Amino acid sequence: MSGKTLTLIKDDPWLKPYSNAIEGRHNFVIAKEKEITRNGALSLSDFSSGYLYFGLHHRENGWFFREWAPNATAVYLTGTFNNWGKNETYRLKKTEHGNWEIYLPEDAIHHGDLYKLFIEWEGGCAERIPAWCRRVVQDGQTKIFSAQVWHPANPYVFKNEPFRPEKSPLLIYECHVGMASQEEKTGTYEEFRKNILPRIAKDGYNAIQIMAVQEHPYYGSFGYHVSSFFAASSRFGTPDELKHLIDDAHGMGIAVIMDIVHSHAVKNEAEGLGRFDGSGYQYFHAGARREHPAWDSLCFDYGKNEVLHFLLSNCKFWLEEYRFDGFRFDGVTSMLYYSHGLGEDFTNYGDYYNGRQDGDAIAYLMLANKLIHEVCPNAVTIAEEVSGMPGLASKFEDGGFGFDYRMAMNIPDFWIKTLKEKKDEEWRPSVIWWETTNRRKDEKTVSYAESHDQALVGDKTIVFWLIDAEMYWHMHVDDRNFKVERGMALHKMIRLVTASTINGGYLNFMGNEFGHPEWIDFPREGNGWSYKYARRQWNLVDNPHLKYHSLGEFDREMLRLICSVKDFQATAIRKVWDNDKDQILAYMRQDLVFVFNFNPVKSFTDYGFLVPEGKYKVVLNTDDKQFGGNGLNDDAIEHFTQHDKLYESEKKGWLKLYLPARSAIVLKKIKDK
């Protein structure tokens, strides 16, 4: 540092007492980058190209295979090409730094062959799936996983390049390929590409965030217990089919963000890295820090340069090989703190700089963001982080971590807590406003009412909290049911107030936009290995005679409205009015006025508040019959402000509206007075 105060500290005086800690971590990352790049002789991208060296690679007239296994005493390639034998012909040679390699002639192995490593160490030996392998398949009968040679004669060639993600705003459709099928089975990349991508594009989302891409042994882990970090899960199809999916998404203007898991790894030894070369600490911490106390998984040792090399190379690999447009980093809170954030309150700034932070993990996250944006300047990085660590989505040069966005995890927690604990008449607009707009000015967030977390078995989605079992019997458009009508009204209002107050992006989990019934429960012994709850019932939203269709229509029109304003997420948001007694909230963004009446029983006639003088037209109404509402307002009527001499200098007038109970309207100023 030159002694110049970092922008993060200058912009937030409350951080000044912790300037030494913030500047210290910043300088540590700079020093670490110099160390791993040999004082700048390499670029960070050069350092992060391990996938081009390690693993299996076809070269002219032959094959090269390399692996890092410092504790091994002997390493063999074994597979279908040598009847799974320990053959001297396939014995690897040890080089330097714990690396092993072998060169094989062209006809030694072939596309589609299965293989593993047979690794020996002092006192033991075992078969292992190579750490850098790019494809892993499971035998349908034995359920055993093996690496597979992937070298097709006609590899997939991308057609839609280059692609630049749309970020104004970023509208994310969080999805899972396997459970995107309507049938009770595991869906495929091809089915998703053909059947689901067009839906997403039609609905107005400009990004998908794909879960469970990295190979994982247990399907029910939702992809969060990764075993092979460079292998796209074969349970959904081939690498070429995933590339085709991403390419088609780009052709539709949809960015593809990968849900990447670098916060921990599966404990499995046969499938994963758990005891890869016989030691338990090759990639992971030794001793008490090795196992995650809550996740039954292993914790990476980010202090090892070899681990940095592995994980940074993993980031670059998915960007370069598959053309992903960025990453949502899972479990960031767990990485930041020695406690993994468990049992911590995070009630003041001191909790973020008390010496209980993992400096090595923090350095990795900062380096990962630097690398990703070096490789792809337009890439999107999102942090899933619950503690509120300042600077997470600030630029590295300003003293931040370098993420583009952070997840606004307080918002779904707030909605679920409200639905569980508050009566309708206790909903306070001032609190809703605070929760949806309370964020650091220098950091962009991804706001959302609910994600996959709220949809998992053991929890409830918003629509299930609102309607519950009535969904099974009263969702036909001609069926009048108070609980369903209340639920639909609040479902739309919750989404509208969440999406319209964004300062960065908005996220929705697959199917939640139309109130997908029930929870997510993957096949497991406890449910008889059923796929009934690990799928999406698209027929519900497609049926115009069901109320799900109305909710889907509202979501589409809501996004269309947001996208009608250039850089909507960056426009100033100004509160016009809130009244907790009436349960009314109103605010403006450019020429749009958003008005909410959360009152469950009381409608208001000629309810007025001050807005810029002019003529206004209703452009969205949650109570519209098209969206399953009662249609109590005539939205064709134009609304004129009433002049008030007291506010003449401010050029404001009174906008007086009829506000039905449990409804929201959006008006657009179409003419100055």
Side-chain angles (χ1 to χ4, degrees), residues 317-342:
F317 168 77
W318 292 107
L319 293 172
E320 295 273 297
E321 181 69 18
Y322 284 90
R323 306 291 194 269
F324 276 96
D325 300 297
F327 305 99
R328 177 260 202 188
F329 278 75
D330 176 70
V332 170
T333 306
S334 177
M335 300 170 70
L336 296 180
Y337 306 98
Y338 292 127
S339 66
H340 304 292
L342 302 172

Side-chain angles (χ1 to χ4, degrees), residues 464-502:
F464 230 102
W465 279 110
L466 290 167
I467 303 178
D468 216 330
E470 301 295 306
M471 295 187 74
Y472 299 123
W473 316 107
H474 302 288
M475 291 299 283
H476 193 277
V477 292
D478 295 330
D479 190 338
R480 299 301 300 268
N481 178 276
F482 171 77
K483 193 169 185 178
V484 170
E485 290 178 12
R486 167 190 176 267
M488 288 185 63
L490 291 176
H491 192 270
K492 289 176 284 187
M493 294 178 73
I494 287 169
R495 274 165 166 69
L496 181 59
V497 73
T498 302
S500 61
T501 51
I502 60 172

Side-chain angles (χ1 to χ4, degrees), residues 72 99 117 124 163 303 307 356 371 397 437 445 489 538 580 598 601:
N99 296 333
L117 295 177
F163 178 79
V307 173
R356 296 199 291 268
L371 165 74
E397 54 266 34
T437 62
T445 60
W538 303 108
D580 286 343
F598 288 100
V601 294

